[in-house]
Amino acid sequence: MSSTTQANPAEAGEKASLLKQPKAVWAVFFAGIIAFMGIGLVDPILPAIAKNLNATPSEVSLLFTSYNAVMALAMLITGMISSRLGIKWTLLVGIVIIAVFSALGGFSNGIWTLVALRGGWGLGNALFVATALAAIVSLSKSGTANAIILYEAAIGLGISVGPLLGGWLGGMSWRGPFLGVAVLMVIAFIGLITLMPNPKTTVKRPKTSLSDPFRALKQHRSLFVFGITAALYNFGFFTLLAFAPFVMGLDAHGLGIVFLGWGILLAFTSVFMAPKLQKRFGTVKSMCVMLILFALVLFIMGIWTSTQWVIIAAVIFAGALLGNNNTLITTAVMNSAPIERSTASAAYSFLRFIGGAIAPFLAGKLAEWFNPHIPFIVGAAFVLISVLFIWANNKHVSHVDLIESGH
């Protein structure tokens, strides 16, 4: 992945080229929407799961912890698997695993069984997520920047539609969203196996090893910096995602509507606003501003935790900040080091999901040990530390903006 390859953001019209994609890209895009629905589908039913399975908020938060912990570890082998199976079959295997474990989750009767099954779901998601990003970037004909915008759009659409569907299904039963994910993944499987090119028509990539992500983190300081930044940022992200539902005082339908608003803003800003910020102010500077604003939102949530309208408004507004930041940091990672994109994604995601694994459980425990205000304040502190970490390592990441500007 040379700088020449990176600096190709479709000079002849970014908006037009974004929609001119091969069928394979759209197949991955739509499968991505369905895959990321899985996150939002479950969120509105967290309080219902706690009530029906007699679990505490910290125990329910383990649904995110096991999911993210397995994803973090699995990210280390995604490149090794995809370089042997090929992009298409790795995506399909990931989808099958998600469908099986989400269906089993829908029939489980205990919180610890459900936590274990979410770990299996995380394995499938790791195979899909890491490979989907590499697939869209490599198959797209409109440059890395537009490909990443398309990938983030799939995330945003999936996350925005998921809560509404999850709230509707969850209103009937907490099991509904789990079974709903299984059905949706079957649809995604059919779309991919029909529209993705066969492995023999795909350019073969060199086989990667388990040590490649670690070697990449060691050799490329910029990749390490963005990975640690994402891990710290995820403390705030998953505190909001996993703990906010417990302090809003809403039922599954209400939570679904709130997170629908959150997801719509996330999707909109990731596609339309982030590229403008990136072009005008630069990726790193824009990222730092979004992180500071997100930390302020979390601090506000920590101060006015008992005021329902403040929490609801803060969650929805946070979607705009998170959409911008997700696109900015993903773009930065893809442009951070001259290595195979799948290796860069695996190395970065390993660190990112470690933060996502610790944060939900920590948030629940902090609320039990102290009070419901503390999780948001601690999450805000971690996000601010991520900004300080970027500033302290600015000399290692400043080249990202030079690559994107074509210099």
Side-chain angles (χ1 to χ4, degrees):
M1 188 176 74
S2 66
S3 61
T4 304
T5 304
Q6 301 296 341
N8 184 29
E11 296 176 5
E14 200 168 285
K15 290 184 179 178
S17 62
L18 181 64
L19 300 177
K20 294 180 180 178
Q21 305 289 351
K23 289 182 180 179
V25 171
W26 290 116
V28 178
F29 174 78
F30 286 113
I33 292 176
I34 297 173
F36 285 106
M37 275 186 188
I39 299 174
L41 272 169
V42 176
D43 211 54
I45 58 168
L46 293 178
I49 292 174
K51 180 180 178 181
N52 284 277
L53 298 183
N54 297 315
T56 65
S58 62
E59 288 173 343
V60 173
S61 73
L62 289 173
L63 294 175
F64 286 100
T65 294
S66 63
Y67 177 81
N68 286 322
V70 172
M71 277 192 75
L73 294 174
M75 283 296 173
L76 298 174
I77 62 171
T78 53
M80 188 170 62
I81 293 174
S82 66
S83 66
R84 287 161 174 78
L85 291 182
I87 288 177
K88 178 176 182 176
W89 292 110
T90 304
L91 290 172
L92 292 174
V93 169
I95 284 176
V96 169
I97 293 174
I98 294 171
V100 169
F101 279 94
S102 60
L104 290 174
F107 292 108
S108 63
N109 292 306
I111 186 62
W112 299 110
T113 302
L114 197 57
V115 167
L117 292 171
R118 274 284 283 183
W121 187 341
L123 172 61
N125 228 53
L127 292 171
F128 182 88
V129 170
T131 314
L133 176 56
I136 288 181
V137 171
S138 62
L139 294 170
S140 174
K141 304 299 183 185
S142 61
T144 299
N146 277 332
I148 290 172
I149 291 171
L150 202 61
Y151 174 78
E152 292 296 337
I155 294 176
L157 288 170
I159 290 177
S160 62
V161 175
L164 188 63
L165 186 59
W168 177 63
L169 294 173
M172 303 176 195
S173 168
W174 69 265
R175 302 178 189 275
F178 287 90
L179 300 175
V181 168
V183 173
L184 290 170
M185 294 319 291
V186 171
I187 297 173
F189 182 91
I190 294 171
L192 277 182
I193 203 166
T194 304
L195 298 175
M196 277 284 286
N198 292 321
K200 63 182 180 181
T201 65
T202 305
V203 178
K204 291 185 177 180
R205 297 181 294 133
K207 292 182 179 180
T208 60
S209 68
L210 184 62
S211 63
D212 283 353
F214 292 108
R215 191 179 299 116
L217 290 170
K218 182 179 179 181
Q219 293 177 349
H220 303 285
R221 177 76 177 183
S222 56
L223 187 60
F224 176 77
V225 170
F226 287 128
I228 294 297
T229 298
L232 294 168
Y233 152 66
N234 262 5
F235 272 87
F237 184 96
F238 279 97
T239 294
L240 183 145
L241 201 62
F243 188 69
F246 289 100
V247 299
M248 276 194 237
L250 299 173
D251 60 12
H253 292 290
L255 289 172
I257 292 172
V258 170
F259 279 97
L260 170 66
W262 173 80
I264 288 173
L265 282 182
L266 188 149
F268 180 84
T269 55
S270 67
V271 176
F272 299 105
M273 188 173 176
K276 295 183 185 298
L277 291 174
Q278 182 181 329
K279 186 176 181 181
R280 182 167 182 178
F281 302 107
T283 302
V284 178
K285 186 180 294 185
S286 299
M287 189 191 310
C288 288
V289 171
M290 290 301 111
L291 289 171
I292 291 171
L293 291 175
F294 180 43
L296 289 175
V297 169
L298 288 172
F299 273 124
I300 289 171
M301 294 176 72
I303 295 170
W304 288 283
T305 309
S306 303
T307 307
Q308 187 185 54
W309 74 266
V310 172
I311 297 297
I312 292 172
V315 167
I316 294 173
F317 177 69
L321 305 176
L322 300 176
N324 280 318
N325 193 65
N326 286 349
T327 295
L328 291 167
I329 198 166
T330 303
T331 303
V333 169
M334 289 293 102
N335 290 333
S336 64
I339 58 175
E340 185 74 25
R341 288 189 177 97
S342 59
T343 301
S345 178
Y348 154 74
S349 296
F350 168 67
L351 294 176
R352 173 169 62 130
F353 287 114
I354 286 177
I358 299 171
F361 183 68
L362 178 63
K365 279 299 181 184
L366 287 172
E368 292 172 15
W369 294 335
F370 302 103
N371 57 64
H373 301 263
I374 299 299
F376 297 112
I377 294 173
V378 172
F382 274 107
V383 175
L384 283 179
I385 292 171
S386 74
V387 178
L388 296 175
F389 188 72
I390 292 176
W391 283 344
N393 290 274
N394 186 60
K395 65 180 181 180
H396 298 291
V397 298
S398 57
H399 69 280
V400 168
D401 288 319
L402 296 177
I403 289 173
E404 289 162 6
S405 62
H407 295 103

